[in-house]
Amino acid sequence: MNGAGLDGATFWQPIFLSLQVAAVSSVLATTMGIAVAWWMNNKRFRGKVWLETLFMLPLVLPPTVIGFLLLIMLGKHSFIGQAIEFLFSTTLIFSWWSAVIAAIVVSFPLSYQTMKTGFSSIDADLLSAARSIGANEMQLFYYVALPLAWRSFLTAFILSFARSLGEFGATIMIAGNIPGKTQTISTAIYVAVDSGNTTLAWMWTLSIIVISFLLLLFTRQSAR
């Protein structure tokens, strides 16, 4: 085993960056999942199944396909990419935020499906009773739906966090593998194995296994 380059900074940097990316992306993905799931739960319209299928598509598409599509949509030759470069004098691709965007896209389906299940499990009579005493949709959402679906909310957040933490394919396509900037634990493991540094690869692998196990364990415990 090659232990070259095995130092504190080398080891902890991708872990801390991955945790930061996962924290921000899971907050945003869960917020979007809650909003979209609540809206979809209360709407009936033609094409709803098609739209829901589109929401779930990142679960089955290869991550590299998602990364390629994001590269086309956010690259410097796209409208979005050019607008960001004009407004902020920088490109979105190969930045910390591009890693966050990749994580949001791949984790949103889990958040959406979890919250949709949570909202669907709420007794319709409770919602009808709240409406009958004058509650508007916003009050219904904040004071009835969210408190009753808090377990789903917690599960959605943790699953989004865990999925974001392990994201690789889409991330390396649009964020690359820049140490200290976009190198997450998944891309770091790939580079370590490719360079023959199996000691470092094993340590990172065990670290992400432990973190993911604890997250899933907490999800199962909170669901009881």
Side-chain angles (χ1 to χ4, degrees):
M1 293 190 295
N2 183 4
L6 185 58
D7 57 74
T10 301
F11 178 71
W12 289 109
Q13 200 170 61
I15 295 177
F16 288 149
L17 193 142
S18 294
L19 291 173
Q20 291 169 5
V21 169
V24 174
S25 63
S26 56
V27 168
L28 295 175
T30 304
T31 301
M32 293 166 56
I34 291 172
V36 176
W38 176 251
W39 185 80
M40 292 289 285
N41 191 58
N42 292 282
K43 295 294 181 181
R44 299 291 182 270
F45 57 90
R46 183 177 298 177
K48 181 178 179 179
V49 174
W50 289 78
L51 186 58
E52 286 191 307
T53 303
L54 181 64
F55 290 157
M56 303 304 294
L57 204 54
L59 279 181
V60 296
L61 284 177
T64 49
V65 172
I66 297 172
F68 173 71
L69 294 175
L70 289 174
L71 195 62
I72 297 300
M73 293 171 58
L74 305 176
K76 62 186 301 183
H77 298 298
S78 69
F79 173 77
I80 297 176
Q82 290 176 352
I84 290 174
E85 188 170 5
F86 175 78
L87 293 172
F88 302 104
S89 299
T90 187
T91 58
L92 186 59
I93 299 300
F94 302 120
S95 69
W96 184 85
W97 278 104
S98 62
V100 172
I101 291 172
I104 290 173
V105 172
V106 299
S107 62
F108 170 77
L110 292 173
S111 176
Y112 169 75
Q113 187 60 42
T114 302
M115 290 310 305
K116 178 187 172 185
T117 302
F119 288 140
S120 298
S121 65
I122 298 174
D123 191 343
D125 291 336
L126 292 176
L127 300 178
S128 298
R131 289 189 179 98
S132 68
I133 60 176
N136 58 39
E137 290 303 308
M138 191 63 69
Q139 292 171 327
L140 200 67
F141 174 72
Y142 279 112
Y143 300 113
V144 180
L146 273 185
L148 291 174
W150 73 269
R151 292 182 185 275
S152 296
F153 167 77
L154 184 61
T155 301
F157 177 81
I158 294 176
L159 289 178
S160 296
F161 191 98
R163 180 64 185 88
S164 299
L165 194 64
E167 165 52 31
F168 172 75
T171 300
I172 203 166
M173 289 285 287
I174 69 167
N177 182 55
I178 306 171
K181 185 177 180 181
T182 65
Q183 187 182 61
T184 61
I185 191 169
S186 297
T187 58
I189 291 171
Y190 174 81
V191 172
V193 172
D194 189 58
S195 63
N197 196 339
T198 51
T199 299
L200 200 52
W202 264 115
M203 292 181 69
W204 277 325
T205 298
L206 292 174
S207 298
I208 198 170
I209 288 173
V210 170
I211 294 171
S212 299
F213 177 83
L214 292 175
L215 287 170
L216 292 176
L217 180 63
F218 183 77
T219 302
R220 293 183 64 85
Q221 291 291 339
S222 64
R224 291 185 175 182

